[in-house]
Amino acid sequence: MKLNNPIDTVENCRYCLMCRHVAPVGHITKDETLTPHGIALTVASQRRGLIQWNRETVAVIYSEPDGGNCRAHCITDQPLPEAIAAVRAELTAQDLAPAIVYRVHEALEKWHTPFGEERLAPATGRAEVALFVGDEAHYLWPSALEGALKLLEAVGLRPTLIGRGRSSGYLASSLGFPETATRQGQELLAELSASGASRLLVLSPGDYFTFNQLYPERLGIALPPEVALNDVASVLAEALADGRLPLRASEEPTPYAYVDPTHAVRVPQRFDAPRALVGAVMPSAPLELFWRRERAHPVGSTALQFTRPELADALTRARLEDAKNRGAELLICEDPGSLYQLKQHAGALSLRVKGLYELLAEHIAC
Amino acid sequence: MKSSIPSQMLASELEEIVGEAHISTKETDKLVYSTDWFWVPQMFLDRGEAITTPDYIVRPGSAEEISRILKLASAYRVPVVPWGGGSGSQGGALPIYGGILLDTKRLDQIIDIDEVSLTVTAQAGINGAQLEWELNEKGLTLPHYPASANCATLGGYLAPRGSGTLSTKYGKAEDLVLGMEVVLPNGDIIRTPPVPQHAAGPDFYRLFLGSEGTFGVITEATMQLDYLPETRLFRAVLFDDLHNAIEAGRLMMTRRLDPTVIRLYDSKSTASRIKRILGHDLDGAYMVLGFDGDPDIAALQEQKAMEICLELNARDLGREPGEAWWEHRYDFYYPPQNLKLPWMYGTTETVATFDKIEKLYYAEKEAVEQQFKEWKVDFIAHFSHWFHWGSMIYSRFIIEEPPEDPREALELHNRVWQAAMTAVLENGGMVNEHHGVGLKLARYMRRQYGDAWPFLESLKRAIDPSGIMNPGKVGFGVG
Ligand SMILES: Cc1cc2nc3c(=O)[nH]c(=O)nc-3n(C[C@H](O)[C@H](O)[C@H](O)COP(=O)(O)OP(=O)(O)OC[C@H]3O[C@@H](n4cnc5c(N)ncnc54)[C@H](O)[C@@H]3O)c2cc1C
Ligand code: SF4
């Protein structure tokens, strides 16, 4: 159900410090303003006329990654990320957002993605199962899709692909363009409906969150009730547990860590699935990062790479350093956007990055 | 716009010390750092009134940088206000005279975990929850569990002498310190050796515990640890009357049954908070008991404690409500379950020896309830930190419809505090047990200490002759 007046949430969060310990940007900058409390107090103060929107104050509003850590930790489930998206929508409507926000929006309108310059037509295939590809898997890390398709085939699923090269609407929503996000979402839902699928698969927790929560709460649209939503890692983990996914053990001796991708905290029920999968092929259990599971910080796959790239990069470096400190040499993750972001900086720390789906696909036992 | 030359000079010199990325004069930063968790500044902002902001927010990365900042501040005679998590409720971190707001959070490193002696040495700006996670990975714990661990820092635990949920067994934050590194107002960096105890002269490092940034900046501390307990047993009991409940607590403590937790809610708290958060609709004084450590010893201690409670006519509510309390103990702090503006509220916590504690509770309750009846004041309390010789009272007043005008609201707020503190001081209590003094209680310090107060003032003058460290706090410089 669409949230009513989400911005009012800032009245609760402005003097609450209870999710500070998991707030990613606050943690890496140590800046009180860039914490849930600081951002909420900024918005609450603007509403009271204590500050005006200007370049500097607006920059604060665009410094939050929309990764869901605050809400995931909030016992009373305050929708602060939704409030921030709504504030951003007010800013874009008044032409007050940073220039980059409009540039990304233009690309979203024109190409459905900021990552490529072609507008891919909606799919026309029909199948029982659809797989949402999105723009990050298409442009940034295509081997994740190839790997996932092989694995799904191994467990008897041949999905039709929807949303190839197209954003789910998350980015538009996060930047403060709910109408664009709604339009993109509705187009995807139409594509899904045309496919006749009764089951929608997604590659990442971010996409799961978008279809499951963002659409209804922020945009007032929803998957048809008869369509089941599953994430590929959970489907594969279930098949593995049932003995339907035969995997060969790898002899790769490299110490490795599993990196919970961006938005993982929003779908806590799937923390174990990728770990079970990676553990089935690698000779040892993954090294666990300090920032893991319910406290995992975002790495890529948010609007922050556009609005505050230096913060997005600092968050990524922090995850990589975390892995390095734990003794990892190889990082494994399933989310195309997170993989891409990790890869940009991994070399500097002599770390390698590998997609989970590709890794597993290489180890399907015939 | 005019530029002030000294101000520009200072900004540029501060930038030289901490680097451009770690100094801010931004409007939003000034706003956010203008308030900690004290009701008064929050109330002014809530009602749309601007308050004093810091001139510069600096985030030093080492004790050496702090030393240079303090030397600079002394030279320019500019106030320096240390800031940890800004979660203090007493206004201790408010930049009431502007100046330099010194955010310590970049000092966030764990320097050493000694798994033989069970100590951790960490920088003072480390976040409490993050420190605890690191320790837990090694099966260890810092047994200071304040409800603010998610947001407070190690330095912020020590500077106002905080207490955590498990303090009854493990002590207050200050009891867990073995040694510290402190930067003095003149820039000197001093360290005290991290030994269990000693007799090499006065324990001067204790001066910094409770000094709330008025004597210097704590930059590092070595703290005692414990193993994560093998067992934690919780149980709840209900007493018909508070008197018997306090007596039960007293017997458990004086007989040294070593409870981890005794949390006793007065009947109003039982009817409101316990009902709202735990869903138990009970009439009486709700007491949660906790024992931890070796399973056999904890079980025996619990058995002995239950014998005391039952002898004093308590009703055993079983384990579930005790365990649920432990599970949900911090839910009270999440909005909208917590106290929230525009309400007026304050925690008038106090501590006294057993002979005085019950009388003190009723005196404070009566003073607040009687004098502010027309404001429909709510007075609730629980007894949460117990000692072998006494207990603390975590008392609170709440006025749901205070005056809209901020100055009228402030005036009423101060009158309620005055009534509560007068009752406390007249009945043998202290003005606080663990939240520190800050700005809020500064005006009661002279009365609290009487003839001893000038001695404390002379210490302040000796340590901080320029008066740059957190002026106006802890009562220094206040009439
Ligand atoms: C939700 C909530 C629950 C709370 N529960 C508890 C509780 O259970 N127990 C408890 O004791 N308190 C509690 N408090 C009060 C407060 O959190 C504690 O006093 C806390 O320890 C303060 O830490 P901080 O890092 O936020 O310090 P701040 O608020 O930043 O500072 C507090 C004071 O210490 C000074 N200071 C901070 N760091 C240093 C340093 N490194 N060197 C010198 N001076 C310094 C500041 O100048 C200020 O005077 C609670 C507060 C909140 C908001
Ligand atoms: S999201 Fe919840 S925990 Fe975080 S600041 Fe808001 S109310 Fe507090």
Side-chain angles (χ1 to χ4, degrees):
Chain A
M1 207 169 66
K2 195 163 180 192
L3 294 171
N4 279 330
N5 308 320
I7 301 180
D8 288 349
T9 300
V10 301
E11 300 297 321
N12 283 322
C13 298
R14 65 190 160 140
Y15 293 126
C16 172
L17 310 172
M18 297 304 278
C19 58
R20 155 89 58 78
H21 59 317
V22 292
V25 177
H27 177 68
I28 52 154
T29 59
K30 309 298 179 197
D31 185 345
E32 203 76 44
T33 307
L34 304 185
T35 63
H37 141 73
I39 294 178
L41 184 56
T42 302
V43 177
S45 300
Q46 188 276 336
R47 293 172 120 196
R48 287 166 172 75
L50 286 165
I51 56 164
Q52 310 301 318
W53 290 134
N54 56 39
R55 217 180 130 100
E56 183 197 302
T57 52
V58 166
V60 169
I61 306 304
Y62 279 95
S63 301
E64 198 273 331
D66 193 1
N69 288 54
C70 54
R71 187 167 175 189
H73 275 258
C74 185
I75 284 173
T76 56
D77 195 29
Q78 298 299 317
L80 184 58
E82 284 57 46
I84 294 171
V87 173
R88 290 176 181 174
E90 289 189 355
L91 293 171
T92 57
Q94 296 168 60
D95 236 357
L96 289 169
I100 182 70
V101 169
Y102 299 102
R103 285 208 295 279
V104 177
H105 182 235
E106 220 176 278
L108 283 169
E109 291 227 289
K110 197 163 174 190
W111 310 115
H112 261 273
T113 175
F115 305 121
E117 296 195 352
E118 58 179 327
R119 195 173 172 125
L120 294 173
T124 49
R126 287 181 67 83
E128 270 289 287
V129 182
L131 172 67
F132 170 70
V133 180
D135 54 350
E136 293 186 331
H138 184 80
Y139 290 108
L140 305 182
W141 204 271
S143 51
L145 177 64
E146 289 155 26
L149 288 175
K150 278 190 200 152
L151 291 158
L152 289 170
E153 186 166 0
V155 299
L157 294 171
R158 280 191 190 77
T160 183
L161 303 183
I162 67 163
R164 274 177 57 237
R166 289 159 56 195
S167 167
S168 62
Y170 162 78
L171 189 57
S173 158
S174 195
L175 287 169
F177 297 100
E179 285 84 13
T180 308
T182 308
R183 210 165 40 245
Q184 292 184 333
Q186 280 166 338
E187 283 172 22
L188 279 176
L189 293 180
E191 197 179 342
L192 174 67
S193 152
S195 77
S198 59
R199 191 174 179 196
L200 176 63
L201 301 180
V202 290
L203 293 168
S204 69
D207 291 336
Y208 189 94
F209 157 73
T210 300
F211 285 104
N212 186 51
Q213 200 174 343
L214 185 148
Y215 277 11
E217 286 193 351
R218 295 192 197 175
L219 310 179
I221 58 176
L223 280 178
E226 65 279 8
V227 176
L229 177 67
N230 301 122
D231 84 285
V232 170
S234 299
V235 169
L236 296 176
E238 217 178 288
L240 179 73
D242 295 351
R244 287 182 289 116
L245 178 62
L247 294 172
R248 270 184 302 113
S250 157
E251 270 149 39
E252 164 86 66
T254 316
Y256 74 101
Y258 168 71
V259 179
D260 291 279
T262 304
H263 308 289
V265 297
R266 289 175 145 145
V267 197
Q269 67 272 22
R270 67 179 292 290
F271 287 145
D272 290 329
R275 286 174 168 80
L277 291 167
V278 75
V281 295
M282 294 298 275
S284 59
L287 294 163
E288 288 285 1
L289 303 189
F290 182 75
W291 296 104
R292 63 175 183 265
R293 291 179 178 259
E294 62 281 348
R295 57 192 196 225
H297 281 178
V299 50
S301 216
T302 70
L304 202 65
Q305 289 95 265
F306 301 102
T307 58
R308 297 293 300 270
E310 76 288 5
L311 294 178
D313 289 347
L315 281 169
T316 308
R317 281 195 300 273
R319 298 294 300 275
L320 291 165
E321 276 158 21
D322 186 2
K324 188 97 190 164
N325 291 340
R326 302 263 153 169
E329 291 171 22
L330 171 69
L331 302 182
I332 296 172
C333 180
E334 70 274 36
D335 174 27
S338 296
L339 284 162
Y340 177 79
Q341 180 75 6
L342 285 167
K343 184 83 185 268
Q344 305 304 303
H345 300 270
L349 279 99
S350 310
L351 290 165
R352 286 191 295 125
V353 174
K354 177 102 188 168
L356 173 68
Y357 298 129
E358 304 85 292
L359 173 79
L360 296 175
E362 285 163 15
H363 291 86
I364 298 174
C366 305
Chain B
M1 197 174 70
K2 274 195 222 159
S3 269
S4 136
I5 300 287
S7 151
Q8 295 299 330
M9 288 293 291
L10 182 54
S12 126
E13 288 181 61
L14 286 168
E15 189 176 315
E16 226 168 81
I17 297 170
V18 294
E20 194 191 341
H22 305 300
I23 173 167
S24 170
T25 52
K26 286 184 193 154
E27 191 188 354
T28 36
D29 287 340
K30 286 184 175 186
L31 169 90
V32 171
Y33 284 94
S34 69
T35 180
D36 60 5
W37 225 53
F38 183 21
W39 181 83
V40 170
Q42 293 189 350
M43 179 273 292
F44 272 101
L45 293 175
D46 177 61
R47 276 124 161 112
E49 281 216 21
I51 52 175
T52 313
T53 65
D55 296 306
Y56 321 88
I57 296 104
V58 291
R59 301 187 190 93
S62 66
E64 288 68 30
E65 286 184 5
I66 294 178
S67 160
R68 290 173 64 196
I69 293 167
L70 298 196
K71 282 180 186 159
L72 194 64
S74 292
Y76 281 95
R77 293 281 196 277
V78 174
V80 178
V81 181
W83 177 285
S87 68
S89 52
Q90 313 298 78
L94 293 183
I96 52 175
Y97 300 114
I100 300 168
L101 195 303
L102 194 142
D103 187 335
T104 58
K105 282 197 291 291
R106 276 183 67 223
L107 301 175
D108 67 348
Q109 297 302 301
I110 293 181
I111 292 153
D112 180 45
I113 298 176
D114 177 345
E115 294 183 63
V116 176
S117 320
L118 297 199
T119 65
V120 61
T121 303
Q123 290 186 307
I126 193 167
N127 172 278
Q130 291 168 11
L131 172 61
E132 185 63 15
W133 284 335
E134 291 274 13
L135 296 171
N136 290 173
E137 300 210 340
K138 295 185 183 301
L140 300 170
T141 178
L142 173 68
H144 177 62
Y145 280 37
S148 55
N150 291 3
C151 48
T153 59
L154 177 58
Y157 286 173
L158 299 175
R161 302 175 69 180
S163 288
T165 313
L166 311 182
S167 70
T168 300
K169 175 168 178 177
Y170 294 99
K172 285 160 66 73
E174 66 196 273
D175 300 321
L176 303 171
V177 191
L178 293 184
M180 286 194 296
E181 178 188 77
V182 177
V183 184
L184 298 178
N186 67 2
D188 286 355
I189 303 174
I190 60 167
R191 280 175 164 276
T192 59
V195 292
Q197 260 309 345
H198 63 85
D203 236 356
F204 63 88
Y205 82 86
R206 297 219 148 251
L207 274 178
F208 300 98
L209 303 167
S211 67
E212 300 178 36
T214 59
F215 289 176
V217 183
I218 303 167
T219 46
E220 198 182 295
T222 299
M223 307 289 291
Q224 297 167 24
L225 302 176
D226 269 83
Y227 293 115
L228 278 168
E230 246 183 276
T231 191
R232 270 191 183 128
L233 301 177
F234 291 99
R235 198 171 198 110
V237 291
L238 186 73
F239 288 89
D240 285 344
D241 69 277
L242 194 67
H243 174 80
N244 276 356
I246 294 174
E247 178 59 6
R250 185 187 77 81
L251 290 174
M252 282 178 236
M253 293 310 295
T254 50
R255 291 183 190 170
R256 293 205 181 256
L257 294 185
D258 216 11
T260 319
V261 173
I262 303 179
R263 185 159 292 214
L264 167 62
Y265 292 87
D266 72 357
S267 56
K268 259 195 162 171
S269 284
T270 302
S272 58
R273 304 219 111 190
I274 295 299
K275 181 168 178 201
R276 190 144 43 89
I277 309 285
L278 300 182
H280 300 299
D281 197 355
L282 297 165
D283 186 14
Y286 188 86
M287 181 188 272
V288 178
L289 292 173
F291 295 88
D292 71 2
D294 180 281
D296 297 336
I297 297 174
L300 190 59
Q301 287 167 330
E302 187 194 65
Q303 184 198 319
K304 295 276 175 199
M306 286 306 295
E307 282 167 19
I308 292 173
C309 292
L310 297 179
E311 221 159 273
L312 287 160
N313 304 322
R315 177 148 63 96
D316 183 4
L317 301 175
R319 285 211 182 287
E320 190 280 325
E323 284 159 2
W325 173 85
W326 174 249
E327 201 53 35
H328 295 283
R329 67 195 185 281
Y330 298 149
D331 292 10
F332 297 97
Y333 294 94
Y334 286 79
Q337 328 229 60
N338 63 349
L339 303 176
K340 55 190 175 296
L341 291 158
W343 292 3
M344 175 186 293
Y345 41 86
T347 303
T348 55
E349 45 122 4
T350 179
V351 59
T353 43
F354 284 129
D355 62 323
K356 304 190 180 76
I357 198 76
E358 196 175 339
K359 189 160 163 255
L360 174 58
Y361 164 79
Y362 285 111
E364 197 194 334
K365 181 177 165 68
E366 192 184 309
V368 172
E369 284 181 346
Q370 292 306 315
Q371 293 179 45
F372 301 94
K373 216 188 243 163
E374 86 258 37
W375 290 100
K376 299 197 181 70
V377 69
D378 216 2
F379 180 90
I380 55 173
H382 57 264
F383 299 65
S384 52
H385 306 282
W386 295 68
F387 306 85
H388 295 114
W389 308 272
S391 169
M392 72 85 70
I393 306 174
Y394 191 102
S395 39
R396 270 187 166 161
F397 69 86
I398 303 155
I399 294 177
E400 292 191 14
E401 288 179 27
E404 180 56 33
D405 177 76
R407 264 151 289 275
E408 279 176 40
L410 175 64
E411 193 258 338
L412 174 63
H413 170 267
N414 288 352
R415 278 199 293 123
V416 184
W417 272 94
Q418 183 70 19
M421 289 301 107
T422 303
V424 160
L425 291 166
E426 280 174 0
N427 286 278
M430 285 300 276
V431 293
N432 68 12
E433 189 268 338
H434 70 262
H435 281 127
V437 178
L439 178 63
K440 188 196 266 180
L441 300 176
R443 62 201 169 118
Y444 302 109
M445 289 297 275
R446 189 174 290 275
R447 181 157 173 211
Q448 173 74 71
Y449 284 109
D451 292 346
W453 179 247
F455 169 68
L456 258 175
E457 283 189 312
S458 65
L459 279 177
K460 165 72 177 170
R461 277 193 298 276
I463 296 171
D464 181 20
S466 317
I468 56 161
M469 290 309 304
N470 213 356
K473 311 296 170 54
V474 191
F476 298 126
V478 178

